[in-house]
Amino acid sequence: MPNKQKRTVISVIGPTAVGKTEISLQIAKQFGGEIISGDSMQIYRGMDIGTAKIKLSEMKGIPHHLLDMKDPCESFSAAEFQKIVRKKIEEVHRRGHLPILVGGTGLYIQSVLYDYQFSDAPADFDFRKKMEEYVQAGQAMGLYNQLRSIDPEAAKKIHPNNHRRVIRALEIFYCTGKTMTEFQKSQQNIPLYNDVLIGLTMEREKLYHRIDQRVDKMIEEGLVEEVRDLIKKGVNLECQAMKAIGYKEIFDYLEARISYDQAITLLKKHSRNYAKRQLTWFRNKMNAHWFDLDDEREYCKKIAEILAFIAGKLEIKSNN
């Protein structure tokens, strides 16, 4: 990224179900913006309900990017996201518009906004292939336990069923002798953009209630049928996308591994746990200006406050 002139990027971050979509639309409308999804799963076609992907009818004429670019069995990484989004930011600016990066996948957003170097951790495809053979042989939990002994901090952040990330963490240690955690801590958070970073938060019990309501709505809108259609198209747990929260639980139900009620209970629980991890990541890794959305009666006032904050920041940037 050339340093001669930093581009301005507005980012809206926060946990799942906090209300990022609606507020990002308000920001885009006010400042002539285009929205770039910062969600690692909305990139996949056919995965709409479970990812809470915005519908065309809800976009209010605002251009949206990084939706429906991959088939569910295609791999997608933070490094690929970083490359695509940085290019998209340049395209949006060339059109004279303001890029608005919106999402809850912390590493993905961090990798775009800061000088995050993925190339520091090399790949060993022979090692990766060997580890994938262990997974195929039913030894995935053994690999996860190995990661827990090598890098317990990384293991806490990676679900045991996310075999791709488990293998990658082991691969980094195998290739370099340094853990994934050590690599992440060595990253220099040098901002590449004039970023206006908006964080949205909410009292935990209120947020958890919203998450439960969202899951109920997903079920009403046809999440079970969406997963069933994906299975008919050949999507299974070997595909990276099917490990996403909302899909793994319903997949297990459809495969008769758990009951319907268990699937819903787990989906809500996993979503709440994910929201907690998101907040921890954002607060520890990113210097956002946080806005509390607890009081629904003050919602319009809070949006006005957010828009005024951004306007002030943009004025400061333009004067520098």
Side-chain angles (χ1 to χ4, degrees):
M1 177 65 60
N3 288 326
K4 58 182 180 180
Q5 184 180 4
K6 286 186 178 180
R7 300 290 199 184
T8 295
V9 177
I10 295 175
S11 300
V12 181
I13 61 174
T16 185
V18 77
K20 297 184 294 293
T21 298
E22 177 57 34
I23 286 178
S24 67
L25 287 169
Q26 297 277 355
I27 294 170
K29 182 179 178 181
Q30 179 76 13
F31 298 105
E34 299 187 24
I35 293 173
I36 302 171
S37 171
D39 185 290
S40 62
M41 289 296 139
Q42 291 186 354
I43 195 90
Y44 292 110
R45 288 182 281 268
M47 299 179 66
D48 303 329
I49 299 171
T51 63
K53 191 181 297 176
I54 189 170
K55 301 178 179 69
L56 183 62
S57 61
E58 299 169 337
M59 292 182 182
K60 300 180 180 179
I62 306 295
H64 282 66
H65 307 283
L66 266 80
L67 303 175
D68 302 324
M69 294 180 65
K70 295 267 188 179
D71 288 327
C73 280
E74 291 184 86
S75 63
F76 189 60
S77 68
E80 187 176 358
F81 176 86
Q82 179 193 67
K83 182 178 179 180
I84 294 171
V85 172
R86 287 181 180 173
K87 181 179 179 183
K88 190 63 64 176
I89 286 170
E90 291 300 307
E91 291 174 3
V92 172
H93 271 290
R94 281 198 296 271
R95 288 192 286 271
H97 295 162
L98 193 60
I100 303 169
L101 182 58
V102 182
T105 308
L107 176 61
Y108 279 43
I109 293 174
Q110 184 188 29
S111 75
V112 170
L113 299 179
Y114 302 101
D115 188 21
Y116 200 99
Q117 303 294 327
F118 288 102
S119 58
D120 285 348
D124 186 311
F125 294 103
D126 289 336
F127 176 85
R128 193 177 297 177
K129 182 179 178 182
K130 184 177 179 181
M131 294 300 100
E132 288 169 351
E133 288 172 355
Y134 279 124
V135 171
Q136 294 293 331
Q139 299 179 41
M141 187 51 68
L143 295 183
Y144 183 74
N145 289 334
Q146 186 178 342
L147 176 61
R148 281 203 299 191
S149 65
I150 293 170
D151 189 356
E153 193 171 335
K156 288 179 183 177
K157 301 174 184 175
I158 301 174
H159 194 280
N161 290 331
N162 194 335
H163 305 145
R164 184 182 63 86
R165 288 195 65 201
V166 171
I167 290 171
R168 178 57 179 152
L170 291 171
E171 179 185 27
I172 289 171
F173 183 75
Y174 175 81
C175 291
T176 68
K178 293 174 65 176
T179 65
M180 176 182 279
T181 298
E182 288 172 322
F183 264 102
Q184 291 176 345
K185 288 181 177 178
S186 69
Q187 293 287 345
Q188 299 182 41
N189 271 3
I190 301 172
L192 298 182
Y193 302 96
N194 289 321
D195 59 298
V196 181
L197 194 53
I198 303 298
L200 304 179
T201 188
M202 185 176 288
E203 189 271 324
R204 185 160 295 179
E205 288 306 312
K206 196 167 284 188
L207 177 64
Y208 286 176
H209 179 65
R210 283 173 62 96
I211 288 171
D212 289 350
Q213 285 183 317
R214 171 181 274 191
V215 170
D216 291 337
K217 184 180 179 184
M218 286 177 175
I219 297 301
E220 289 173 11
E221 291 182 345
L223 177 59
V224 174
E225 289 72 23
E226 181 171 88
V227 178
R228 186 178 283 118
D229 287 343
L230 290 169
I231 294 171
K232 288 178 181 177
K233 294 174 182 176
V235 182
N236 56 45
L237 288 183
E238 296 305 314
C239 301
Q240 176 182 334
M242 194 59 86
K243 296 180 175 69
I245 295 171
Y247 292 89
K248 171 68 166 61
E249 296 84 356
I250 300 302
F251 183 90
D252 283 346
Y253 157 63
L254 291 174
E255 294 291 301
R257 296 191 182 106
I258 58 177
S259 70
Y260 176 82
D261 288 341
Q262 285 175 318
I264 305 305
T265 298
L266 285 172
L267 174 46
K268 290 179 177 179
K269 178 186 175 187
H270 293 161
S271 297
R272 293 192 297 265
N273 291 344
Y274 179 54
K276 184 178 178 181
R277 293 197 302 272
Q278 286 175 300
L279 278 168
T280 300
W281 174 283
F282 286 131
R283 290 194 183 280
N284 290 342
K285 303 281 188 180
M286 307 188 77
N287 187 27
H289 189 94
W290 289 92
F291 291 88
D292 196 316
L293 302 180
D294 279 340
D295 193 343
E296 295 179 7
R297 295 167 300 178
E298 299 288 324
Y299 185 73
C300 292
K301 182 179 178 181
K302 188 64 65 172
I303 289 179
E305 185 182 334
I306 292 170
L307 296 178
F309 173 80
I310 294 172
K313 285 290 185 179
L314 294 179
E315 180 66 24
I316 291 170
K317 304 295 184 187
S318 65
N319 289 337
N320 286 343

